[in-house]
Every structure is written in structure tokens, then in C-alpha cells.
């Protein structure tokens, strides 16, 4: 099973250890494209802070984030699972998993990124600031930049197993499963259900969405559950206590759409 995750806007600080080694990251087919983004981003942020802030879409209060990108080659690197923070990663809580579950996380979790394309949670990276929606002056829109190298790297990473796609919409621009890979892909939407005046109403709420996705992944890793296709995933999630409504694709070459319904997050 391959689980596709979004990154987090907020990130932990870089470590004090060995700096980034691009050639050591997973998915080596992305190395050349990664080098191009690292080079331009670092140069942009070192040369013109105001332009960098505009390109990265940062508010004045986040100006300090630009400095991270000037140190991409020199800052200490940490496992990506420690760099990414926020609601989803708090709920996933990789650090508290047992050894076997951590090994499963290293094999199955893939975090999409405007800077790296995609990395495994065990890949060592520095802290940075660069979303997939960024359009660099030289390379252009990052979603488009990643599309070609991802087209071969991601199907290879997926192998012949289930793909659980939990990415936010901005990150689907870099890769969309096609053909038979799409047929064994399941996307997940989290709906918050509330009863108002005796009528149940459902809505998509960011906090519930992120927290529930983190809990779903954690429960799969912790129990070692390994569904082989979307139909088995639906049953596995129900067995783990989640309320799931599934819609099989209406035609070939399309992913399954799963709705996970929650009333509250503990």
C-alpha cells in the first residue's frame, strides 16, 4: 500500500546533523527536478528577499521563513516525518508508533512537496518554505514542473498495490493516477456530520479533514492492516471503527471515492 500525504505549511526547524544529500532521497528519478528547484529557490531567496516573499506568497509576518530557503544546502537534515508538523501529523504521531509500525510507515508513506516532489517520511530533509502552488520565475508553476518526472516515478513507487490518496487538491496537480493505477486508487473526503433542528447536515471542515486523515493512517499502520484494493480498504476502515461511505468508479480508469463521516474528533 502506498499512502500519499500532503505536507504541512508549518515545519519543525532543521537539525544539526549532516546537510541535505539529494542523491540519498527516495524516488531517484526525481533527483534532477529536485536539484533545479533547490538551485532556483535558494538563489531567489538569497538575492531578493522582497521578490522571494512575493513569489512564495508569504505575508509580512512570515518574512523570516525566507531564510530557511537560503540554507537548503547547509542546514542539518532530519527525517521528513519529523520536519512536517500540523494537525494531520499531530494525529498521525509517528514518533509514538511501535517499531513495526514505524517500519511500515517508512515503506508506505509518501509526502508530496513543492520543493522535493515527493519524499518518504524517512528521507532526511531540511526545513523549508515552498508550496506546490508557487510559480518560480525560471521554472514556472511547480505543479507542472513535477508532472513529467512524476509520471514514471509514482507508478513505479505504487507497484501493484493499493494507492490511498489523502492529498489536498493543490498537490494533485503534480501527479494524477491513470489507467489501472487509478483503478486501485482510493481518494478520501472527510465530512463532519451535525444534527441541526432534527436534520443531519454535512460539511467539509479543515480541522476534521486533517485530523481524521492522520488517525486513519495511524490506525492502518498500528494494526498492520494491508488492504490490497479499494474495496478491501473500505471494509478495513469500517472494521477499525470508521464510518465509511464508498462510491465505486462509474467507468474504467477512475479512482474510488470514499467519504469518511465524523461527528467529533477526540
Amino acid at each position: 500500500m502506498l499512502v500519499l500525504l500532503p505536507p504541512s505549511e508549518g515545519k519543525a526547524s532543521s537539525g544539526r546533523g549532516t546537510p541535505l544529500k539529494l542523491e540519498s532521497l527516495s524516488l531517484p528519478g526525481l533527483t534532477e527536478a529536485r536539484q533545479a528547484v533547490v538551485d532556483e529557490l535558494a538563489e531567489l531567496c538569497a538575492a531578493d528577499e522582497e521578490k522571494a516573499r512575493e513569489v512564495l506568497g508569504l505575508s509580512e509576518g512570515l518574512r523570516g521563513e525566507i531564510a530557511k530557503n537560503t540554507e537548503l544546502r547547509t542546514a542539518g537534515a532530519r527525517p521528513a516525518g519529523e520536519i512536517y508538523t500540523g494537525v494531520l501529523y499531530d494525529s498521525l504521531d509517528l514518533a509514538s508508533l511501535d517499531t513495526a509500525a514505524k517500519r511500515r510507515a517508512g515503506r508506505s508513506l509518501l509526502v508530496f512537496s513543492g520543493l522535493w516532489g515527493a519524499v518518504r517520511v524517512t528521507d532526511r530533509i531540511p526545513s523549508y518554505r515552498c508550496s506546490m502552488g508557487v510559480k518560480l520565475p525560471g521554472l514556472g508553476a511547480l505543479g507542472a514542473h513535477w508532472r513529467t518526472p512524476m509520471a514514471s516515478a509514482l507508478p513505479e513507487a505504487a507497484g501493484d498495490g493499493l494507492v490511498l490518496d489523502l492529498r489536498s487538491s493543490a498537490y494533485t496537480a503534480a501527479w494524477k493516477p491513470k489507467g489501472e493505477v487509478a483503478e486501485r486508487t482510493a481518494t478520501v473526503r472527510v465530512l463532519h456530520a451535525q444534527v441541526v433542528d432534527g436534520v443531519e447536515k454535512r460539511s467539509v471542515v479543515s480541522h476534521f479533514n486533517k485530523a481524521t486523515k492522520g488517525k486513519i493512517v495511524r490506525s492502518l499502520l498500528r494494526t498492520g492492516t494491508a488492504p490490497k484494493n479499494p474495496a478491501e480498504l473500505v471494509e478495513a476502515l469500517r472494521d477499525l471503527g470508521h464510518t465509511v461511505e464508498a462510491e465505486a468508479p462509474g467507468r474504467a480508469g477512475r479512482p474510488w471515492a470514499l467519504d469518511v463521516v465524523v461527528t467529533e474528533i477526540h
Side-chain angles (χ1 to χ4, degrees), residues 22-213:
L22 280 176
E23 67 278 7
S24 72
L25 300 181
S26 302
L27 308 184
L30 302 180
T31 300
E32 185 177 344
R34 287 168 176 152
Q35 184 69 65
V37 182
V38 168
D39 286 348
E40 182 171 353
L41 184 62
E43 182 178 347
L44 169 68
C45 292
D48 190 333
E49 187 176 283
E50 191 57 38
K51 183 176 181 180
R53 187 171 73 85
E54 180 182 341
V55 169
L56 295 174
L58 300 178
S59 66
E60 180 63 35
L62 292 174
R63 181 183 290 272
E65 293 284 280
I66 296 169
K68 293 180 177 180
N69 295 337
T70 67
E71 301 171 350
L72 291 173
R73 299 186 188 88
T74 58
R78 298 169 61 183
E82 296 177 13
I83 290 290
Y84 294 115
T85 59
V87 175
L88 188 154
Y89 292 91
D90 286 347
S91 294
L92 175 54
D93 196 8
L94 287 169
S96 69
L97 292 173
D98 63 31
T99 301
K102 286 179 179 176
R103 283 199 296 266
R104 288 189 282 270
R107 292 193 301 266
S108 62
L109 304 189
L110 201 61
V111 184
F112 271 61
S113 161
L115 178 54
W116 315 114
V119 291
R120 297 194 184 277
V121 293
T122 51
D123 285 333
R124 299 184 70 86
I125 58 173
S127 190
Y128 68 97
R129 187 70 178 230
C130 184
S131 70
M132 190 66 79
V134 164
K135 184 176 182 179
L136 291 174
L139 293 176
L142 290 178
H145 171 74
W146 289 112
R147 214 165 286 148
T148 297
M150 287 280 195
S152 56
L154 264 293
E156 182 179 346
D160 59 1
L162 169 72
V163 178
L164 174 54
D165 190 350
L166 303 179
R167 295 174 296 167
S168 50
S169 58
Y171 290 86
T172 62
W175 182 69
K176 293 181 181 179
K178 298 179 179 179
E180 61 90 17
V181 179
E183 292 173 6
R184 47 188 168 86
T185 296
T187 63
V188 172
R189 179 176 65 165
V190 179
L191 299 177
H192 179 212
Q194 292 179 296
V195 176
V196 180
D197 296 329
V199 179
E200 183 182 85
K201 295 185 177 181
R202 296 180 176 184
S203 60
V204 178
V205 182
S206 177
H207 174 81
F208 286 85
N209 177 59
K210 294 174 182 178
T212 301
K213 287 179 177 178

